[in-house]
Amino acid sequence: MPSRTVIYGSSGRLRRLILVMVLLFLEGSVLTLGAASSNHYSPTPAHSDSHNAQNQSSQHREKAFPVLDFNYNGVKTPFEIALWVLLASLMKLGFHLIPHLSNIVPESCLLITVGLLVGGIIKFAGEEVPPVMDSRLFFLCLLPPIILDAGYFLPIRPFMENLGTILIFAVVGTLWNAFFVGGLLYAVCQIRPENPSFLHQIGLLQCLLFGSIISAVDPVAVLAVFEEIHINELLHILVFGESLLNDAVTVVLYHLFEEFAGIGTVTWLNGFLGVISFLVVALGGVLIGAIYGILAAFTSRFSSHTRVIEPLFVFVYSYMAYLSAEMFHLSGIMALIACGAVMRPYMEANISHKSHTTIKYFLKMWSSVSETLIFIFLGVATVAGPHSWNWTFVTVTVILCLLARVIGVVGLTYIINKVRIVKLTTKDQFIIAYGGLRGAIAFSLGFLLDKKHFPERELFLTAIITVIFFTVFVQGMTIKPLVELLAVKKKQEAKRSINEEIHTQFLDHLLTGIEDICGHYGHHHWKDKLNRFNKKYVKKWLIAGERSKEPQLIAFYHKMEMKQAIQLVESGGGLKLPATPSTVSMQNIQPRKPAPAKPAERALPQLPKNREEEIRKILRTNLQRTRQRLRSYNRHTLVVDPYEDGLSDLLIKKQKMLEIEKKIKEMNKYLTVPAPPPDSPTMCRARLASDPQAYNVKPVSDKVPVIQVDLASPQSPDSVNLLDEFGQANQQQQEEEQGLMMKPPLRPGEPNKPGEADGAKDQQKLMRCLSDPGPSADEDEDEAFLP
Amino acid sequence: MGALQSLPGQAEYCDLTAKTGFSFEQIGVLRKRFKQLSHNEETLRRDHFNEIHDLTFNPIRAQIIEAFFDRRNFHQDGQGKVREIGFEEFVVVMSHFRPPSLHMTEEQREKIRKEKLRFLFNMHDTDNNGTITLEEYRHVVEELLSRSGTLEKETAKSIADAAMLEVASISVGHMEPDEFYEGITFEHFLKLLNGFDIESRMTIRF
């Protein structure tokens, strides 16, 4: 067995590797061709003129009708864009096919290398490398998806709890970095007066501008690297939050120094205005984002009849927030973050389940492609860009950046720890300092510099690229082993259980109460006030219908049930065999009650003892589900995909299922429970919580949930009625059997097919109940779920 | 230092500092608040707590107030409730919410965790029998949802049941169908909230 798989594996890998290489070279060559042909074709207006002339002359001349014509110019730009995107996506695929590589080298490094290769190929072919890293393209198209993704899935609780720390790092830290690097660079440039070099011409303001460009921690790079090291939530949010919030500082400093670098001096007045400008930029950005967020939430309140365009609102409103902020020279990044964070809780209450999935997938997809493209372009631009290398300048820059970061972090932590409740340890400080990566934003800002005002632009660009390479390659590659070495706390694979949620809420109220007793208004008090305000006024306006009054605990519970139900259905009933099969079920925790005498209501005839046992065993194996709720700010893990379990597991499960099917078929007791009518999502969600009171009248039929089990189909008894268990908790033990809902026996000739069809339809009903009354095309989609 | 000497009962403060870990300043602040709440009397009673205006919106108000009068939280191995508490008991109860200091051994950290979780456990275990039964847990969830307006009692029950089931599954892996899970003992409670990082979360600034 093992030898066969090894051989198969290695030949398969080899094949895949070859395929990847071939694709890479194809892409490179086509891009070269693209670059080449764009140079050979005359510019468009002249072309069209000649075309017109040709047209007129063709009336006089005889010309054969062209059967096949080649017009590259018409589709040039979109074609090249599509090629680049394709290259990026294929690269992403390729990396994960190569084993072990993604463990050692972070993806960002690999992508930059690919960019270098492609740039090199293009240059080698003798063509001019296209200026891909256009700042406009970067800021308007490539950056927003990444930031929106980060903002929409920002974990609000840790972010708010550490907001003070994050702000201090972002504002004070960046300022310190900028002035330290800029000032010392200027000093270094000025030394050795006896040997006047190019460096002497660099003024103080230029150096300060350079310092402000290079000092900002880059969110794209941080995301790319931190995602793979799974560090604990606190550190992640600190570094990441800092990288997001320092945009305001960067914007202000950049504009300030750029404006005045030409003039040569900055007066005190302008400095003061700069400080005010910072406040305006930051708060204005957040305000614009919040306004758009509320608008989006309000719009989504009315979208119950047109579910299909719901995701569009998220994207369009956020993008408009970004553009509006950029229009006023405010911080676009902060606007985007604010918009996403504000609209999310209300959106999620209003939109359908499918829209939610769509939004999540689109955001992840776009941000993924964007990030890949950014790194590739960085590589290409490195090959392309005009360079001006100066050993002193570049090495001093790198050293100063590192030094500034370390001193800044240590100094600020010392101050912050005096005020924080949970202090930051030395290990934490080291990771924060080490995680200060620079990235493409710095490069684009440098690219924007005007050559006239900044003759040393190329020098700056070279230095920026060197720092970026250094941080991404050296720091990016070594941070993972360092995290292991220092035994930094890793991210808890949080199974957000219902117990934790209950206790989180309990703690919130408890701490608020204790603060009130103590008499001082700590942040729990304000948080509580905000929550009450939110519940009383805001939710009424922004959330449609009944959901506006749903308390958070219940919403969480519903969400979890739904997730489980969907997981159950998606995996086709082939559930993961739990490592330690727990045989605890609802009956074990119910207080003992005397057996009630209600035989008339039982439609099920008495099952013989061993059958009961079997059914109980089946139910028990289902009730031990580990609930996995993934924190979605990790781009690589979206949904637990049951199909990734591997074929062998599936086969074992299928066998087991068939056995059980056979046993139960012999039982001859069937209940048909009609699925609940497709209703509004609200009522369906409420029903999912299995409110038996509403159904007490007919205990047998119309039993709440929801998952129809079709006997003959693969998702059979094992996937039984998990939800119903909870609803029946209060009812007697005997009625537990009714949880196993089965369909009438099928003709033995065709056990599977009609069953599957029925199961599909029921699933559909379930799906429809859970989400929107979708078009009938849903049928096809749902059938894909059946393995 | 001079200001401290004028504080009454400084000897008793030293005692309290040693017992609870608060600093002198913090005890001074708490003393002031105690006097304010009790209208300058020596002891606090339940109706003093009821006067605190901000507490009215809190859904678990009753449990919080009870926790102050619960002998189990006084670190004196007592049981049952008292009618009024003095300053010392007040500070001892408050000390459950102190943040862990920066340099702490694993042992000390573990001790603090246990202490805080014990406080929470006592809040849930109202009948004092050492386990949190299903009824008590249901009561907890109902109280949490009590201020939300839509009191879906059945949903509260389902949530509590689901939670209880989870505890049982985690703590006692295998149970026969006719076995009965009595309730959450303190060990199970510890195991349940293992990843909860409670020593950092259950703190307020003093």
Side-chain angles (χ1 to χ4, degrees):
Chain A
M1 254 328 155
S3 59
R4 264 202 359 222
T5 44
V6 162
I7 295 176
Y8 172 72
S10 63
S11 74
R13 256 180 263 150
L14 196 59
R15 249 184 272 151
R16 279 182 240 153
L17 211 57
I18 296 179
L19 189 65
V20 167
M21 291 305 192
V22 166
L23 278 168
L24 169 60
F25 281 120
L26 259 175
E27 287 294 333
S29 54
V30 181
L31 279 167
T32 317
L33 268 179
S37 46
S38 63
N39 283 339
H40 286 160
Y41 268 87
S42 39
T44 332
H47 182 85
S48 58
D49 276 346
S50 64
H51 191 74
N52 278 338
Q54 234 183 9
N55 252 342
Q56 289 164 4
S57 55
S58 67
Q59 289 163 4
H60 308 293
R61 245 185 294 155
E62 287 259 332
K63 195 170 170 241
F65 187 76
V67 175
L68 208 58
D69 206 358
F70 184 72
N71 178 13
Y72 182 66
N73 238 25
V75 295
K76 177 179 163 229
T77 318
F79 193 78
E80 286 186 349
I81 294 177
L83 269 183
W84 278 112
V85 174
L86 196 57
L87 172 70
S89 319
L90 286 174
M91 281 306 107
K92 242 180 138 55
L93 277 184
F95 290 147
H96 290 284
L97 290 178
I98 304 177
H100 303 308
L101 192 61
S102 33
N103 289 340
I104 309 176
V105 190
E107 223 176 75
S108 40
C109 304
L110 292 171
L111 289 170
I112 295 186
T113 321
V114 168
L116 286 173
L117 270 175
V118 173
I121 293 177
I122 296 182
K123 206 159 200 178
F124 188 66
E127 298 304 330
E128 180 193 319
V129 180
V132 278
M133 200 59 169
D134 180 29
S135 293
R136 268 191 77 220
L137 172 73
F138 176 75
F139 280 113
L140 291 182
C141 298
L142 292 178
L143 191 59
I146 302 180
I147 305 294
L148 180 59
D149 179 35
Y152 195 77
F153 292 112
L154 192 69
I156 294 284
R157 182 180 277 262
F159 186 75
M160 284 302 175
E161 283 175 7
N162 295 300
L163 190 62
T165 314
I166 294 178
L167 274 177
I168 291 186
F169 274 127
V171 176
V172 182
T174 313
L175 280 174
W176 156 261
N177 277 358
F179 283 102
F180 185 80
V181 173
L184 280 186
L185 254 184
Y186 180 68
V188 166
C189 288
Q190 295 304 314
I191 59 174
R192 294 205 284 164
E194 71 279 1
N195 218 355
S197 66
F198 173 55
L199 294 176
H200 282 244
Q201 297 162 15
I202 308 178
L204 176 62
L205 281 175
Q206 277 87 345
C207 280
L208 284 176
L209 176 62
F210 177 72
S212 66
I213 294 178
I214 200 85
S215 64
V217 178
D218 187 81
V220 180
V222 165
L223 259 181
V225 169
F226 268 53
E227 226 167 64
E228 302 182 4
I229 61 179
H230 300 298
I231 207 164
N232 68 35
E233 199 175 51
L234 173 67
L235 285 178
H236 187 135
I237 201 69
L238 280 180
V239 181
F240 184 56
E242 178 196 343
S243 69
L244 289 175
L245 295 187
N246 65 20
D247 182 57
V249 182
T250 313
V251 165
V252 170
L253 282 179
Y254 183 81
H255 286 301
L256 187 68
F257 290 131
E258 202 201 4
E259 293 260 333
F260 296 106
I263 304 177
T265 50
V266 181
T267 63
W268 284 111
L269 177 66
N270 287 323
F272 180 65
L273 285 178
V275 172
I276 300 208
S277 161
F278 163 71
L279 287 170
V280 168
V281 162
L283 295 175
V286 172
L287 190 67
I288 288 190
I291 292 178
Y292 273 101
I294 296 198
L295 275 177
F298 191 65
T299 314
S300 73
R301 185 179 163 190
F302 304 106
S303 63
S304 46
H305 297 290
T306 39
R307 294 265 181 214
V308 197
I309 56 173
E310 271 171 347
L312 196 65
F313 289 124
V314 174
F315 304 135
V316 171
Y317 274 109
S318 316
Y319 197 48
M320 285 201 53
Y322 180 75
L323 292 177
S324 312
E326 287 290 323
M327 200 160 63
F328 293 106
H329 269 198
L330 302 176
S331 167
I333 289 186
M334 291 180 84
L336 213 44
I337 301 281
C339 187
V342 164
M343 76 163 120
R344 184 176 179 206
Y346 308 110
M347 274 285 190
E348 295 209 330
N350 282 335
I351 62 180
S352 71
H353 180 73
K354 283 205 174 108
S355 301
H356 176 77
T357 312
T358 310
I359 291 176
K360 189 156 82 162
Y361 268 90
F362 261 90
L363 279 179
K364 298 291 177 193
M365 180 186 81
W366 269 329
S367 62
S368 208
V369 170
S370 256
E371 186 187 290
T372 316
L373 273 178
I374 287 178
F375 283 115
I376 293 187
F377 284 172
L378 259 182
V380 175
T382 311
V383 174
H387 286 300
S388 152
W389 182 269
N390 181 308
W391 277 103
T392 327
F393 193 80
V394 174
T395 43
V396 168
T397 308
V398 175
I399 296 175
L400 280 181
C401 276
L402 287 175
L403 209 58
R405 178 81 181 155
V406 171
I407 298 179
V409 169
V410 172
L412 285 176
T413 316
Y414 179 72
I415 301 175
I416 291 175
N417 267 347
K418 296 206 151 94
V419 196
R420 266 180 80 91
I421 301 184
V422 180
K423 321 270 181 207
L424 293 173
T425 64
T426 319
K427 265 195 238 168
D428 294 337
Q429 291 174 38
F430 178 75
I431 296 290
I432 295 176
Y434 208 69
L437 305 171
R438 317 304 202 259
I441 291 186
F443 182 77
S444 309
L445 283 176
F447 209 78
L448 272 177
L449 290 174
D450 193 351
K451 182 91 181 179
K452 290 199 292 283
H453 294 197
F454 297 92
E456 51 277 330
R457 176 175 175 266
E458 272 124 39
L459 180 62
F460 284 174
L461 279 179
T462 313
I464 293 175
I465 287 192
T466 316
V467 174
I468 294 179
F469 271 44
F470 183 81
T471 54
V472 172
F473 278 91
V474 174
Q475 285 177 244
M477 274 204 267
T478 53
I479 199 168
K480 195 164 188 185
L482 271 174
V483 162
E484 305 277 338
L485 195 68
L486 292 175
V488 180
K489 244 200 307 181
K490 290 271 194 114
K491 177 157 69 171
Q492 309 247 325
E493 280 316 318
K495 306 172 200 160
R496 263 309 268 301
S497 66
I498 188 111
N499 273 299
E500 294 199 347
E501 181 70 22
I502 291 178
H503 280 101
T504 309
Q505 296 235 337
F506 192 81
L507 260 186
D508 271 343
H509 291 298
L510 174 63
L511 291 174
T512 311
I514 299 283
E515 273 188 1
D516 290 332
I517 293 178
C518 255
H520 69 245
Y521 290 158
H523 89 261
H524 282 104
H525 178 91
W526 294 118
K527 193 159 64 155
D528 191 53
K529 272 216 158 102
L530 184 67
N531 276 337
R532 265 188 277 134
F533 174 73
N534 188 15
K535 205 188 315 199
K536 205 159 163 205
Y537 299 110
V538 182
K539 276 192 179 172
K540 285 220 176 72
W541 279 100
L542 296 181
I543 298 186
E546 279 304 305
R547 297 302 298 288
S548 60
K549 298 209 206 80
E550 198 177 52
Q552 191 191 346
L553 189 57
I554 295 186
F556 177 80
Y557 178 65
H558 287 169
K559 223 198 274 196
M560 268 206 339
E561 294 297 349
M562 194 144 67
K563 268 204 178 90
Q564 268 191 298
I566 291 180
Q567 260 191 345
L568 222 46
V569 166
E570 269 187 6
S571 64
L575 309 163
K576 282 192 202 159
L577 299 171
T580 51
S582 163
T583 52
V584 183
S585 65
M586 284 312 286
Q587 57 196 351
N588 291 110
I589 66 177
Q590 292 309 314
R592 298 226 171 81
K593 292 191 208 145
K598 279 203 226 162
E601 290 185 26
R602 281 167 45 83
L604 262 192
Q606 191 75 6
L607 286 179
K609 242 334 183 204
N610 55 346
R611 300 300 184 199
E612 269 189 44
E613 254 317 299
E614 252 164 351
I615 297 176
R616 282 220 186 87
K617 219 189 295 181
I618 293 164
L619 293 174
R620 255 180 262 135
T621 51
N622 284 301
L623 290 175
Q624 177 52 24
R625 291 276 92 227
T626 46
R627 306 162 200 245
Q628 295 193 5
R629 180 172 165 189
L630 296 166
R631 283 279 169 210
S632 339
Y633 56 89
N634 182 330
R635 193 163 302 148
H636 298 295
T637 52
L638 283 176
V639 168
V640 174
D641 186 350
Y643 288 123
E644 278 176 346
D645 267 337
L647 206 52
S648 48
D649 276 5
L650 213 52
L651 289 174
I652 298 176
K653 285 174 212 158
K654 273 213 165 121
Q655 269 185 343
K656 183 171 172 266
M657 227 103 47
L658 287 171
E659 284 168 21
I660 299 180
E661 274 174 296
K662 263 185 260 159
K663 276 189 214 159
I664 294 189
K665 254 194 220 162
E666 294 161 18
M667 282 202 282
N668 289 329
K669 281 156 256 316
Y670 305 96
L671 261 188
T672 310
V673 178
D679 215 350
S680 74
T682 317
M683 296 317 284
C684 277
R685 283 185 189 126
R687 228 179 264 136
L688 265 179
S690 57
D691 188 355
Q693 282 220 332
Y695 293 88
N696 256 343
V697 185
K698 295 188 261 175
V700 170
S701 52
D702 287 282
K703 215 13 127 125
V704 169
V706 160
I707 298 183
Q708 285 279 29
V709 176
D710 184 21
L711 246 204
S713 77
Q715 69 270 32
S716 67
D718 261 15
S719 64
V720 148
N721 232 348
L722 176 60
L723 304 179
D724 203 26
E725 280 309 300
F726 303 130
Q728 298 188 51
N730 306 326
Q731 297 173 14
Q732 296 75 19
Q733 281 185 5
Q734 301 125 318
E735 293 190 5
E736 215 173 44
E737 287 96 76
Q738 292 174 356
L740 187 68
M741 298 190 294
M742 304 172 233
K743 296 214 118 183
L746 301 161
R747 277 85 59 204
E750 21 178 337
N752 277 323
K753 261 201 300 198
E756 271 189 45
D758 280 343
K761 248 188 255 138
D762 295 329
Q763 258 187 318
Q764 249 181 69
K765 284 183 196 156
L766 169 65
M767 285 304 175
R768 225 176 258 149
C769 161
L770 290 179
S771 61
D772 41 346
S776 57
D778 272 352
E779 278 176 54
D780 300 327
E781 190 190 26
D782 281 344
E783 269 195 86
F785 280 141
L786 298 177
Chain B
M1 268 317 189
L4 277 174
Q5 251 126 35
S6 58
L7 281 172
Q10 205 203 334
E12 130 195 352
Y13 280 20
C14 288
D15 203 24
L16 275 177
T17 334
K19 209 168 163 191
T20 59
F22 281 125
S23 71
F24 276 125
E25 293 86 11
Q26 290 170 331
I27 295 195
V29 169
L30 283 173
R31 178 81 189 153
K32 261 193 238 143
R33 181 64 178 167
F34 184 83
K35 276 178 125 157
Q36 202 180 26
L37 283 177
S38 67
H39 306 301
N40 277 323
E41 292 173 32
E42 282 302 312
T43 56
L44 272 182
R45 289 187 298 279
R46 285 189 175 80
D47 37 327
H48 289 135
F49 280 101
N50 288 335
E51 288 167 2
I52 303 177
H53 172 70
D54 294 311
L55 270 185
T56 43
F57 295 113
N58 204 316
I60 55 170
R61 185 165 159 270
Q63 278 122 314
I64 299 179
I65 298 180
E66 280 308 308
F68 274 88
F69 294 93
D70 192 340
R71 275 227 191 92
R72 289 175 294 176
N73 293 331
F74 294 162
H75 290 184
Q76 285 164 359
D77 297 328
Q79 292 235 348
K81 311 270 183 194
V82 291
R83 291 258 292 279
E84 44 187 29
I85 55 171
F87 180 58
E88 192 178 317
E89 285 94 25
F90 183 70
V91 176
V92 169
V93 173
M94 284 299 192
S95 73
H96 285 101
F97 295 93
R98 245 177 20 94
S101 60
L102 189 55
H103 310 287
M104 260 190 166
T105 63
E106 263 312 303
E107 236 173 62
Q108 285 173 321
R109 208 170 264 275
E110 196 50 42
K111 184 163 161 283
I112 289 198
R113 273 193 82 235
K114 277 215 170 116
E115 222 175 77
K116 298 195 190 226
L117 283 173
R118 186 84 220 173
F119 186 85
L120 277 186
F121 188 80
N122 290 341
M123 280 185 86
H124 295 322
D125 182 19
T126 44
D127 63 0
N128 234 334
N129 63 353
T131 55
I132 305 178
T133 60
L134 186 62
E135 273 311 313
E136 288 168 344
Y137 213 40
R138 276 190 190 149
H139 183 67
V140 169
V141 178
E142 274 166 20
E143 286 294 305
L144 269 183
L145 295 175
S146 63
R147 296 272 166 162
S148 60
T150 49
L151 182 55
E152 297 178 358
K153 220 161 191 281
E154 290 308 317
T155 316
K157 277 213 177 112
S158 326
I159 295 179
D161 292 345
M164 197 69 165
L165 185 64
E166 194 175 61
V167 180
S169 317
I170 294 179
S171 333
V172 186
H174 178 88
M175 280 181 92
E176 293 304 317
D178 44 2
E179 269 184 84
F180 177 55
Y181 183 63
E182 298 288 335
I184 311 180
T185 62
F186 187 54
E187 283 73 33
H188 296 168
F189 196 65
L190 279 180
K191 206 167 161 191
L192 180 70
L193 292 182
N194 204 6
F196 207 51
D197 199 22
I198 200 153
E199 56 267 24
S200 323
R201 291 176 80 155
M202 188 165 144
T203 56
I204 66 169
R205 188 186 303 282
F206 280 102

